[in-house]
Amino acid sequence: MTTELLGLTPEELQTELSPLGEKPFRAKQIFSWLQRGMRFSEMSNLPLALREKLASLYVDQPVEILERHVSQMDGTVKLLYALRDQNCVEGVVMRYHYGVTLCLSTQVGCAMGCAFCASTLDGCVRSLTAAEMLGQVMCADRMLAESGERVSHIVLMGSGEPLQNYDNVVRFLRLVSHPEGKNIGLRHISLSTCGLPAQIRRLADEGLPVTLSLSLHAPNDRIRQRLMPVAKRYTIEETLDACRYYLKKIGRRIILEYALIDKVNADQAHALELARLLRGMQCHVNLIPLNTVRERNLFGVTEGQVTSFLNTLTAQHISATRRREMGDDIQGACGQLRQKHLKEQTT
Ligand code: SF4
């Protein structure tokens, strides 16, 4: 496969380009252009012959925007990106008072099989390269430049299990926070995982201060096993132990995602059980009212149920909030846009 220069550090770029007989400063120039989302043809301070040579040997920007869906309610934009091999992934651009957050994908599809998630319906097609993850940031930034904005925060919460694509994700984190590149602070990045204990510990040992977000979704193993196949491999206790290790090493509280599902995990008793489970842990619970998934017999909850669950946790001194709904009129569950695109291609 042709090398994607966007996925290389300045030093690696220099090594890659040295057989072409280019001076070291060229690698710096090219790194800077690539990290601004530019194509070889736009690198105006390079000789034309070099631009043409690069274009014949390498890939510059490996991702393009295929579809944009803008919410009329709050300006949230749902994006469908095209990759070079005809695969596509989704992303969401969300506007907050503190900046613009990009939700990006780390794999095409996902192998983890969570019952409430459309991203996993066809399994995992393949993992994304670091350049493809960066490419999503470049595309979003090019779009945002039209309104004088830029991506300031990133959540790795689109399709895919980031820790199953460990090396590429870590490379991405180092590149996107590179001072001569996008320079997005690692403290502005969250990584969401369904809970792979060994990889959580490994990430903690990297010493990258990203926020770890665990998809918990249940107060006990029995309910979690019904919703998430990964729970058959690792108990909640093993997973939370790895989270505590992460907390100790990185010093950032853990975010626990909890989708409220009627008659499954949203009763008062579940809230109390969850509070007992989390007592003493430095964490924050993010409550997500589920969009009903009829195919799987999973139903959303009422406003009253959300408030009562939240109040119970708060009364038990567990930090919790309800996740703000963004772009309700355009998105539906994560993974649905890609599913729709795939269906349109086959009909
Ligand atoms: S919720 Fe995340 S880990 Fe689970 S299937 Fe969906 S993308 Fe994969």
Side-chain angles (χ1 to χ4, degrees), residues 106-107 109-121 157-162 192-195 215 217 227-230 334:
T106 55
Q107 294 180 311
C110 183
M112 304 315 290
C114 302
F116 44 79
C117 178
S119 295
T120 196
L121 289 175
M157 224 177 245
S159 64
E161 165 50 59
S192 174
T193 175
C194 67
S215 295
H217 306 310
L227 299 172
M228 306 176 71
V230 71
C334 164

Side-chain angles (χ1 to χ4, degrees), residues 260-288:
L260 288 165
I261 310 170
D262 193 32
K263 296 191 174 50
V264 175
N265 65 0
D267 294 349
Q268 191 77 351
H270 297 131
L272 288 169
E273 195 179 0
L274 182 62
R276 275 197 301 279
L277 181 72
L278 303 180
R279 190 150 296 140
M281 183 171 173
Q282 213 184 324
C283 63
H284 177 84
V285 179
N286 223 345
L287 295 175
I288 310 153

